Amino acid sequence: MFLPEYPDSPTPPPAHTHTPIETAPVRRSLPSVSIDQKTVVALVVGGVVLTAFLAAVAVTAPSVAVAAVVLRSMLRDHHRR
């Protein structure tokens, strides 16, 4: 079996030596927040109210757009006479 031949000279020292860096500051943990039943109820009610507002806007916007087109058409016909 053939083994590779290695040079007898030792390996050179590394060009860059690592210097110790300062340790990062200890991160403080956030205070624990207790979630009770009233908080959950308030979040659910708030979500329902916001969803109702979003639905109202989603229904109202096309209605206003249709009314604007009809009104514009009526005014255009009125000015042509």
Side-chain angles (χ1 to χ4, degrees):
M1 193 182 243
F2 297 105
L3 295 175
E5 294 182 14
Y6 295 108
D8 291 339
S9 63
T11 58
H16 176 73
T17 58
H18 292 282
T19 56
I21 58 171
E22 295 181 19
T23 58
V26 177
R27 186 173 181 183
R28 296 181 185 165
S29 62
L30 296 174
S32 62
V33 177
S34 62
I35 298 176
D36 58 350
Q37 187 177 4
K38 291 180 182 179
T39 305
V40 173
V41 170
L43 287 175
V44 169
V45 170
V48 169
V49 169
L50 289 176
T51 304
F53 282 143
L54 181 62
V57 169
V59 169
T60 305
S63 301
V64 170
V66 169
V69 169
V70 170
L71 187 61
R72 188 175 72 177
S73 175
M74 290 172 59
L75 289 175
R76 188 181 325 147
D77 289 343
H78 185 273
H79 288 299
R80 286 185 183 173
R81 291 182 182 180

